[in-house]
Amino acid sequence: MGFLAGKRALVTGIASDRSIAWGIAQAMQREGAELALTYPNERLKERVEKFAGACGAQVVLPCDVSTDESIDELFVQLGKHWDYFDILVHSIAYAPKEQLEGDFLENITRDGFRIAHDISSYSLTALAKGARQLMSGRNGAIVTLSYLGAERAMPNYNIMGLAKASLEANVKYLAYTLGEEGTRVNAVSAGPIRTLAAAGISDFRRMLEKVEQSAPLRKNVSTEEVGNAAAFLCSDLASGITGEILYVDAGYNIVG
Ligand code: 0WD
């Protein structure tokens, strides 16, 4: 029996078979969880439905985290299928592409700042707010995805570094707030992985090369490795862990 047997997990952020959320969904399914998936727009609907078929998810619902209406509707619709659930996976980030390259000060705009923080950090708060009732009192767990650029200035990551710093603070405040209800909140800080979101970051290839050369394990991590860690964090095996940022980066954060 898997370590997530009997748990229900809502997974956001699957956009392709390279998505970190897909690695997480596969690990959670393997460990016995029942899944529901979301898609952000009509363009991705069919694709996410295929992924749902592949991981046995019976519930597939729209959710664009840029509006409260869409988030409210997600939980109304989810409530028709599930009267409770245990796990929320937040694997969502966005910033306009021109904000993710070159001179940070030259390229940053008020609007770029707002969008990056809204979609990449506030969306976690908003989803946690919407999920609160359905998750309360179940030893539930929320997990999100961060990156080392939250703590260190890195070339091209720019505005997303600020948004990830906000996301990590968000994890701690949510953990503090939801702890009394038995819900734990953690982040996985993943090493670079070539996904659709990563394609928006200028010179991403250099980041991959640097990790491969200098990380203690001399390799880049896979979505499977990130998925396994996220599944663990959301399981009862991690019942003593909350407010934590867990590095799954082949050890890169300890060097340099
Ligand atoms: O190197 C990497 N790939 C790393 C990614 C290293 C460390 C962390 N991360 C983080 C990302 O910042 C993000 O928070 O992992 C998370 C997942 O990203 P990913 O798996 O790398 O990228 P991707 O497969 O593109 O999934 C991100 C998805 C979107 O994909 P697209 O490609 O359509 O932008 O976030 C979702 C969407 O599915 N998304 C939204 N979902 C709902 N509403 C929205 C939105 N408004 N915007 C984006």
Side-chain angles (χ1 to χ4, degrees):
M1 205 167 71
F3 59 67
L4 292 177
K7 304 257 189 204
R8 287 174 170 168
L10 176 65
V11 180
T12 67
I14 299 178
S16 78
D17 60 359
R18 294 181 170 196
S19 292
I20 292 174
W22 180 232
I24 296 174
Q26 288 177 296
M28 289 188 168
Q29 183 212 11
R30 187 194 68 223
E31 295 303 330
E34 180 186 352
L35 305 180
L37 309 184
T38 71
Y39 57 90
N41 50 47
E42 285 304 304
R43 189 177 55 82
L44 283 175
K45 180 175 184 213
E46 221 172 285
R47 206 186 296 175
V48 174
E49 281 171 349
K50 283 202 185 114
F51 286 112
C55 67
Q58 302 285 332
V59 183
V60 186
L61 295 167
C63 180
D64 174 355
V65 295
S66 66
T67 76
D68 287 337
E69 294 71 37
S70 182
I71 293 172
D72 291 347
E73 189 59 18
L74 167 66
F75 291 105
V76 168
Q77 294 306 322
L78 187 66
K80 292 183 181 168
H81 300 274
W82 287 351
D83 49 4
Y84 67 85
F85 72 104
D86 307 282
I87 295 169
L88 170 64
V89 177
H90 173 273
S91 187
I92 293 171
Y94 176 77
K97 186 163 169 37
E98 70 278 5
Q99 308 274 308
L100 298 172
E101 61 191 8
D103 187 306
F104 170 60
L105 263 188
E106 230 10 85
N107 295 341
I108 194 165
T109 61
R110 190 181 290 274
D111 223 32
F113 183 99
R114 183 187 58 72
I115 293 168
H117 282 73
D118 184 9
I119 307 300
S120 315
S121 178
Y122 181 68
S123 62
L124 174 67
T125 327
L127 287 173
K129 213 173 161 74
R132 189 173 194 171
Q133 291 271 285
L134 290 172
M135 291 186 74
S136 185
R138 299 199 48 80
N139 296 326
I142 299 176
V143 69
T144 185
L145 275 304
S146 191
Y147 178 60
L148 188 59
E151 298 161 57
R152 294 197 201 162
M154 294 194 161
N156 302 316
Y157 202 62
N158 296 359
I159 186 64
M160 196 52 85
L162 280 69
K164 291 299 190 193
S166 163
L167 180 74
E168 292 187 6
N170 212 330
V171 164
K172 293 171 192 167
Y173 277 88
L174 288 174
Y176 182 70
T177 305
L178 294 173
E180 277 188 0
E181 297 166 25
T183 304
R184 299 177 298 102
V185 187
N186 294 293
V188 169
S189 182
I193 299 177
R194 194 178 293 287
T195 62
L196 292 175
I201 301 163
S202 213
D203 230 357
F204 187 75
R205 189 179 45 84
R206 288 266 315 270
M207 290 161 81
L208 290 170
E209 284 170 4
K210 232 177 139 185
V211 171
E212 201 170 331
Q213 284 158 10
S214 52
L217 295 178
R218 306 291 194 282
K219 66 166 194 174
N220 281 289
V221 293
S222 64
T223 54
E224 190 184 347
E225 288 170 312
V226 176
N228 286 338
F232 157 72
L233 279 177
C234 293
S235 77
D236 294 340
L237 294 173
S239 58
I241 304 175
T242 194
E244 180 68 11
I245 314 296
L246 177 67
Y247 294 91
V248 181
D249 64 350
Y252 183 74
N253 72 94
I254 68 161
V255 298

